[in-house]
């Protein structure tokens, strides 16, 4: 009788394991089958880390987003818009800018396509495909930005336009010394002033940003993003508000 119970338990464990494997291997196309979806609805991009060599995938989780997932292809040379090529990658996401954004970190030997999804308002939101280029075009990190503080409390940031080619849009973040995001904006121009939105084409700032406190330290972060959502160039610069 003990042997029968043991075999029964083993059968359950094997069945659960097989179900889990099926879930892990299920394609993105299978996941969304019969569901309401919105394509291009997740803001996401990826960059390479010059120190660790890891690929960093960043995304903006809208308020209320649940079941955030990362999907990837096995290779690069395929139709990136065919969702059946993408399978889920089970790695832990991490907070970025203290959770205002999220990110995944991976060690990868070859380049792939990636998609980030989450569920919101009874829909599956799906990012545009992200092309990893950690080998072809590693992300360049620097502090090359000019900060004009002639207008007190409203620093004006400018940087080289399309410095390494392939630029589609710029993403700027102003954060405080504790790395809390104060503003997150996108521009086509190589300039942004805190806090003026005249040239902002996309804004993930959910509240009115606070006035900068004179004599206090802040951070400026810039990502130069390509059309296929790879970050070509990252600028990070600390400054004191004047």
């Amino acid at each position: 009788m003990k042997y029968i119970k043991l075999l029964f338990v083993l059968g359950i464990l094997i069945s659960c394991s097989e179900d889990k494997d099926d879930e892990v291997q299920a394609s993105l196309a299978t996941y969304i089958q019969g569901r309401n979806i919105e394509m291009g609805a997740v803001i996401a991009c990826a960059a390479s880390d010059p120190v660790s060599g890891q690929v960093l995938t960043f995304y903006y989780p809208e308020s209320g987003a649940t079941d955030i997932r990362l999907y990837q292809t096995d290779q690069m040379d395929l139709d990136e818009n065919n969702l059946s090529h993408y399978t889920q990658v089970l790695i832990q996401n991490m907070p970025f800018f203290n959770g205002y954004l999220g990110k995944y970190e991976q060690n990868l030997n070859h380049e792939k396509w990636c998609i980030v999804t989450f569920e919101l308002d009874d829909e599956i939101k799906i990012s545009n495909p992200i092309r990893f280029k950690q080998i072809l075009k590693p992300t360049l990190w620097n502090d090359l930005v000019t900060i004009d503080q002639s207008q007190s409390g409203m620093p004006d940031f400018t940087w080289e336009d399309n410095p390494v080619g392939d630029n589609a849009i710029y993403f700027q973040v102003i954060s405080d010394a504790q790395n809390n995001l104060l503003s997150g904006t996108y521009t086509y121009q190589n300039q942004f002033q805190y806090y003026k939105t005249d040239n902002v084409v996309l804004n993930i700032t959910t509240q009115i940003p606070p006035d900068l406190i004179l004599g206090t330290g802040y951070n400026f972060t810039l990502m130069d993003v390509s059309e296929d959502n790879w970050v070509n160039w990252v600028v990070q610069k600390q400054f004191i508000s004047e």
Side-chain angles (χ1 to χ4, degrees):
M1 196 66 179
K2 290 182 179 179
Y3 292 113
I4 294 175
K5 289 181 178 179
L6 179 60
L7 289 173
F8 179 71
V9 171
L10 286 173
I12 292 175
L13 291 175
I14 291 171
S15 175
C16 290
S17 176
E18 289 175 348
D19 290 344
K20 186 175 181 181
D21 288 342
D22 289 342
E23 181 183 350
V24 172
Q25 295 302 319
S27 71
L28 177 52
T30 301
Y31 170 49
I32 66 174
Q33 190 171 7
R35 299 287 305 276
N36 295 323
I37 67 170
E38 184 180 1
M39 300 296 300
V42 178
I43 299 172
C45 61
S48 59
D49 188 303
V51 178
S52 67
Q54 292 181 313
V55 174
L56 314 175
T57 304
F58 307 101
Y59 62 89
Y60 170 55
E62 294 184 53
S63 177
T66 62
D67 198 9
I68 300 168
R69 298 189 180 195
L70 178 69
Y71 284 85
Q72 288 176 185
T73 63
D74 289 331
Q75 56 184 311
M76 181 61 64
D77 298 327
L78 42 71
D79 179 6
E80 70 274 15
N81 295 309
N82 185 339
L83 302 186
S84 65
H85 292 314
Y86 293 83
T87 53
Q88 187 180 4
V89 181
L90 296 181
I91 58 174
Q92 184 63 46
N93 54 20
M94 291 172 284
F96 188 52
F97 290 111
N98 292 330
Y100 202 100
L101 303 180
K103 70 174 178 177
Y104 292 96
E105 298 181 352
Q106 296 181 84
N107 293 301
L108 297 174
N109 295 323
H110 58 280
E111 297 179 346
K112 303 182 178 188
W113 287 94
C114 163
I115 282 176
V116 179
T117 72
F118 56 68
E119 298 196 19
L120 180 66
D121 298 331
D122 296 322
E123 282 188 332
I124 298 176
K125 311 290 186 178
I126 303 173
S127 76
N128 290 322
I130 304 166
R131 191 192 193 287
F132 291 164
K133 297 180 186 176
Q134 74 275 19
I135 299 171
L136 177 67
K137 195 173 187 180
T139 305
L140 301 178
W141 296 65
N142 59 80
D143 62 354
L144 303 178
V145 59
T146 300
I147 307 176
D148 179 356
Q149 299 205 65
S150 57
Q151 196 168 352
S152 183
M154 299 181 67
D156 193 353
F157 306 91
T158 57
W159 53 90
E160 186 178 349
D161 193 23
N162 198 22
V164 293
D166 198 28
N167 169 261
I169 201 167
Y170 299 108
F171 175 49
Q172 312 91 26
V173 170
I174 310 299
S175 57
D176 63 19
Q178 290 73 44
N179 218 28
N180 296 305
L181 185 146
L182 305 182
S183 76
T185 51
Y186 286 81
T187 66
Y188 292 132
Q189 297 176 324
N190 57 322
Q191 176 269 333
F192 170 72
Q193 185 172 10
Y194 187 92
Y195 181 69
K196 294 177 68 175
T197 58
D198 298 357
N199 65 339
V200 172
V201 295
L202 180 62
N203 197 341
I204 64 168
T205 314
T206 57
Q207 298 180 350
I208 298 175
D211 294 336
L212 301 186
I213 301 172
L214 302 187
T216 300
Y218 296 93
N219 306 302
F220 173 78
T221 303
L222 171 77
M223 294 186 185
D224 170 342
V225 186
S226 64
E227 188 173 353
D228 52 18
N229 300 298
W230 179 252
V231 178
N232 302 307
W233 205 61
V234 174
V235 173
Q236 292 179 314
K237 182 80 171 183
Q238 296 180 336
F239 67 97
I240 304 297
S241 178
E242 298 178 359

